[in-house]
Amino acid sequence: MIVQDTVLRNEWIVACRSVDVQDRPIQVTIMGERVVLFRNEEGIHAFKDLCIHRGAALSLGCVRDGKLVCPYHGWEYEASGACVKIPQLPAEQAIPGKARAILYSCAERYGFVWVNLANQSPEFFAQPEFEDQRFRNVIWGPQTVTAKPPRIVENFLDVGHLAVVHEGYLGVETHMEIGDYRVHRDENGVIRTDEIKIFQPDPDGTGQAKHVYYTYEILRPLTVKFTKRDAENGNLMSILLTVLPLDEARSVAFGVLSFNYETNLSDEEIISFQNLIFAQDKPIVENQKPEDLPLDLQVELSLKCDRASIAYRQYLTEMGVTFGTA
């Protein structure tokens, strides 16, 4: 079933990793819509995965001379969506103007392919680490979750669970108290917390337990970020999380992990650790009730340490997001 949310359909939504689109077209599902992605010399393009002729999935076809070729009758579509070849038509007969694929805006950014279902091109959020030569960036995901995006995003923003769900990794039971902090909005509309002091058993792989400082940012309805700062050495580590609404019940999480210091770990080891942490979060978000995130702040009891998630709920209300909210 198609997910109807005007706000999210006008957003850039992550579809897959850039490396997932190679010589052949692929199918992805975004908010219940089947989308075909294909690459030619001009870049990556996105159509509704449907041939106007007899409803075949264009993703089962191929790319020939930069055109997407339908697997059923060989119709060829150029990047604009226009059908430029129908093998069954006599050469002198014009191609009907209705012979077009449904086009979606598509872009490659930050190691991912993004699609806008409204065929708009809104401005992207900034991810400065990806453009900064001092940072190493590791692409993470996909991870499928049986939960709606707002619950997954809010879990990422929840500082209070680190020493409980991730005890021994991101926190310890002897240091569970969270100090008060404030949330601010900058001139670009980014919502950002103050630094939050957190005690971790091994924040940088050296085996030394210490306090580090987390800053959370709300960039878009489905995209958030935190930055961890080590005050002793200036090391910075950030994780960008972005969520693909697959359908009404399932989501797919992706991320970018960025480091301005040597971790002495391979990409595979970094991804493996992030998978471990996410696997600890997964049963929590998959079993939260209600499944839709309550935007009425009186429905659930909140504490001062929940200011980031409160700000996220207020932001979703302001934006008018309806999918996954109540």
Side-chain angles (χ1 to χ4, degrees):
M1 185 177 294
I2 305 301
V3 175
Q4 300 295 342
D5 186 306
T6 302
V7 174
L8 295 183
R9 293 181 74 87
N10 278 278
E11 287 284 326
W12 284 117
I13 297 178
V14 65
C16 63
R17 303 171 302 173
S18 288
V19 296
D20 295 328
V21 188
Q22 298 294 334
D23 297 334
R24 298 193 60 81
I26 68 167
Q27 182 189 92
V28 296
T29 302
I30 302 175
M31 295 177 64
E33 298 267 13
R34 293 195 327 184
V35 177
V36 56
L37 302 174
F38 70 98
R39 186 187 294 275
N40 63 14
E41 64 279 358
E42 300 170 7
I44 293 183
H45 311 278
F47 297 162
K48 188 179 184 69
D49 195 9
L50 181 76
C51 181
I52 190 67
H53 179 219
R54 287 295 182 266
L58 294 171
S59 58
L60 297 177
C62 65
V63 180
R64 182 188 303 143
D65 297 327
K67 316 294 192 305
L68 181 59
V69 183
C70 176
Y72 199 8
H73 295 95
W75 291 26
E76 298 186 13
Y77 296 87
E78 64 180 10
S80 69
C83 181
V84 294
K85 182 177 180 179
I86 298 179
Q88 294 79 18
L89 278 182
E92 68 276 6
Q93 189 170 334
I95 294 175
K98 188 179 177 181
R100 296 187 61 88
I102 297 173
L103 184 67
Y104 301 128
S105 299
C106 185
E108 283 189 88
R109 194 71 60 91
Y110 311 138
F112 298 110
V113 178
W114 306 79
V115 172
N116 182 285
L117 294 175
N119 199 25
Q120 303 296 315
S121 296
E123 184 177 353
F124 266 95
F125 58 86
Q127 173 63 357
E129 292 91 333
F130 210 82
E131 315 297 337
D132 192 330
Q133 295 295 320
R134 294 172 296 178
F135 281 85
R136 171 189 179 190
N137 297 286
V138 179
I139 304 300
W140 170 79
Q143 286 285 339
T144 303
V145 190
T146 306
K148 297 179 181 179
R151 281 294 192 189
I152 299 168
V153 171
E154 188 182 74
N155 172 76
F156 184 87
L157 296 170
D158 186 299
V159 67
H161 83 286
L162 298 181
V164 182
V165 177
H166 309 299
E167 198 275 334
Y169 293 100
L170 304 183
V172 294
E173 62 180 358
T174 55
H175 293 74
M176 296 178 66
E177 182 177 339
I178 304 297
D180 195 13
Y181 63 90
R182 298 292 171 175
V183 179
H184 314 273
R185 184 179 300 215
D186 68 20
E187 63 277 6
N188 297 315
V190 174
I191 298 169
R192 184 179 291 107
T193 69
D194 291 335
E195 286 193 320
I196 305 167
K197 188 178 181 180
I198 301 170
F199 186 84
Q200 294 189 330
D202 186 10
D204 57 5
T206 63
Q208 178 186 353
K210 65 174 78 172
H211 283 98
V212 290
Y213 298 85
Y214 273 43
T215 302
Y216 289 92
E217 297 176 72
I218 301 168
L219 304 175
R220 300 304 304 164
L222 304 182
T223 304
V224 288
K225 175 182 175 181
F226 81 75
T227 301
K228 176 171 67 177
R229 182 178 69 88
D230 187 327
E232 295 180 5
N233 53 32
N235 286 350
L236 296 174
M237 179 265 192
S238 70
I239 299 181
L240 177 85
L241 174 80
T242 190
V243 181
L244 159 64
L246 200 61
D247 52 36
E248 289 191 315
R250 297 175 301 153
S251 305
V252 182
F254 294 89
V256 182
L257 291 81
S258 304
F259 308 84
N260 76 340
Y261 59 94
E262 177 53 58
T263 64
N264 296 313
L265 297 172
S266 66
D267 286 6
E268 291 74 20
E269 289 171 320
I270 290 170
I271 291 168
S272 178
F273 180 78
Q274 187 61 23
N275 286 341
L276 182 153
I277 296 299
F278 195 77
Q280 294 176 325
D281 285 320
K282 188 174 178 179
I284 300 295
V285 298
E286 289 187 331
N287 288 281
Q288 283 181 283
K289 297 294 181 181
E291 290 88 349
D292 292 326
L293 187 70
L295 299 188
D296 182 348
L297 300 182
Q298 303 304 311
V299 172
E300 295 181 332
L301 177 63
S302 297
L303 304 174
K304 288 182 179 180
C305 63
D306 299 315
R307 290 190 194 275
S309 61
I310 290 170
Y312 179 60
R313 295 184 185 202
Q314 292 172 329
Y315 173 69
L316 293 182
T317 300
E318 175 188 323
M319 293 290 290
V321 174
T322 58
F323 175 60
T325 65

